[in-house]
Amino acid sequence: MSNREVVVLSVGGVRFVTRASTLQQFPESRLARMLNDDGWEFKLVNGEFFVDRDGTLFSYIMDFLRTLQVSLPTDFSDYQRLQREAEFYGLYPLADLLSQEHLLKPRLEILEVRFSLQEMQAFFRIFGSCSTTVETLAEQITVFTGQQSGRSWNSPFPSQKPLVPLPLERPSHHDMVFQCGTDYSAGDQLVARYVSIKPDNRKLINGTNVLGLLLDTLLKDGFRLISTRTVSSEEKVECYSFERMKRPAGLTVTVNQTPGSSGVAQAKRSHVQKGK
């Protein structure tokens, strides 16, 4: 490799090693001109380009050049400082994206679980502010049903007969309804409903056990339990409220730029935001 194929930069004391082609993604930028010895802001010291700028923020600059995407941590807050750094380096497509903070900032997501235990049955209803999250959770939850003579019902576990999956009730894009437990149908036939929540493979019939698994699944998915309250003491309806900071579906933004070409780059979202 020639000396220009691999480039070493020291930005604010932080060392970066990259390819020259990466720095040349935007030929009009200062980083691209630097390789042509056309940048007084950069000093070549012992084979390394020294840049007196913020090294921490430059890591996001490098990530953008390598992927042509903006992907920031959920706790990131220095949008204006990073925008100034992008402007300094002449990366105006990135600066334009950073000026639209509403596209990049994580959003507070609310989810509510309502649970009612009535005799041998348990009823669940889940509301979510983000329809995408509710859709994903609905794909994890499966309700199975089966019938058995009440006289031979002596075990809380599924019988030998095949269980049939049931579709979840979806009153809207933002909620779902399902139940578990046992109930008598015509004659002495006992109808049983079991709930399975991925990645757990168990089929649970006890409502309290299903509730525990559901809450544990949400906590592992990044939600935080913020309150527990009784909605209706007569109907014994309990409500569990959760929240989490979630990166919006459009946070990762792809820039349509042909490597090595000049011109204005066009930015667009890489995902469509389903829920609002």
Side-chain angles (χ1 to χ4, degrees):
M1 287 189 178
S2 67
N3 292 334
R4 290 303 188 193
E5 290 181 353
V6 175
V7 182
V8 180
L9 301 97
S10 178
V11 185
V14 183
R15 194 169 183 265
F16 297 88
V17 180
T18 187
R19 291 178 176 271
S21 58
T22 300
L23 301 178
Q24 293 169 336
Q25 292 281 16
F26 298 89
E28 302 302 319
S29 70
R30 285 183 174 178
L31 290 170
R33 298 201 310 268
M34 173 190 72
L35 299 181
N36 299 322
D37 298 323
D38 182 18
W40 59 268
E41 302 90 348
F42 309 97
K43 294 183 179 180
L44 190 58
V45 180
N46 296 327
E48 298 184 7
F49 287 97
F50 174 75
V51 189
D52 191 16
R53 303 294 294 191
D54 191 305
T56 301
L57 292 179
F58 189 73
S59 64
Y60 301 114
I61 300 287
M62 284 303 308
D63 183 61
F64 171 74
L65 290 174
R66 287 166 174 155
T67 65
L68 295 183
Q69 295 181 336
V70 180
S71 185
L72 303 174
T74 55
D75 59 350
F76 185 82
S77 60
D78 290 335
Y79 295 96
Q80 293 183 352
R81 290 183 59 210
L82 184 55
Q83 182 182 353
R84 288 197 300 268
E85 293 300 297
E87 291 173 348
F88 169 80
Y89 292 109
L91 298 172
Y92 298 108
L94 175 58
D96 290 341
L97 295 179
L98 292 168
S99 68
Q100 305 177 63
E101 292 186 26
H102 65 284
L103 296 179
L104 304 174
K105 286 185 175 180
R107 301 179 181 181
L108 179 63
E109 185 177 354
I110 303 297
L111 191 138
E112 184 178 274
V113 177
R114 294 196 176 190
F115 170 71
S116 176
L117 189 60
Q118 301 176 13
E119 296 182 353
M120 299 298 293
Q121 298 184 82
F123 300 86
F124 296 82
R125 187 161 192 170
I126 302 175
F127 301 85
S129 60
C130 177
S131 62
T132 304
T133 297
V134 177
E135 185 70 31
T136 301
L137 190 58
E139 294 175 355
Q140 292 179 256
I141 300 175
T142 305
V143 178
F144 297 90
T145 185
Q147 289 187 349
Q148 184 172 331
S149 172
R151 297 174 183 175
S152 61
W153 188 266
N154 56 9
S155 172
F157 300 101
S159 65
Q160 298 296 325
K161 297 181 180 180
L163 296 177
V164 180
L166 291 176
L168 299 180
E169 295 183 44
R170 297 296 305 277
S172 74
H173 293 295
H174 290 270
D175 63 337
M176 73 179 81
V177 177
F178 62 93
Q179 67 185 82
C180 65
T182 58
D183 185 30
Y184 279 98
S185 60
D188 64 346
Q189 290 295 311
L190 197 62
V191 178
R193 289 184 176 87
Y194 303 84
V195 174
S196 176
I197 305 178
K198 297 178 182 178
D200 194 294
N201 295 321
R202 292 174 297 169
K203 295 180 178 65
L204 303 177
I205 194 172
N206 182 280
T208 303
N209 293 340
V210 174
L211 176 64
L213 179 58
L214 176 60
L215 300 186
D216 185 59
T217 300
L218 294 174
L219 293 173
K220 290 181 179 179
D221 201 28
F223 280 97
R224 181 172 66 92
L225 180 63
I226 57 175
S227 69
T228 303
R229 69 182 190 277
T230 300
V231 178
S232 173
S233 57
E234 295 180 358
E235 298 180 1
K236 299 181 180 179
V237 179
E238 299 176 354
C239 178
Y240 300 83
S241 298
F242 295 82
E243 70 175 18
R244 73 173 174 182
M245 295 299 294
K246 185 181 180 182
R247 184 175 300 177
L251 178 61
T252 301
V253 184
T254 303
V255 176
N256 292 334
Q257 171 77 23
T258 302
S261 67
S262 60
V264 180
Q266 180 183 4
K268 68 175 182 179
R269 293 190 182 191
S270 60
H271 299 279
V272 177
Q273 181 77 26
K274 295 182 180 179
K276 297 183 179 179

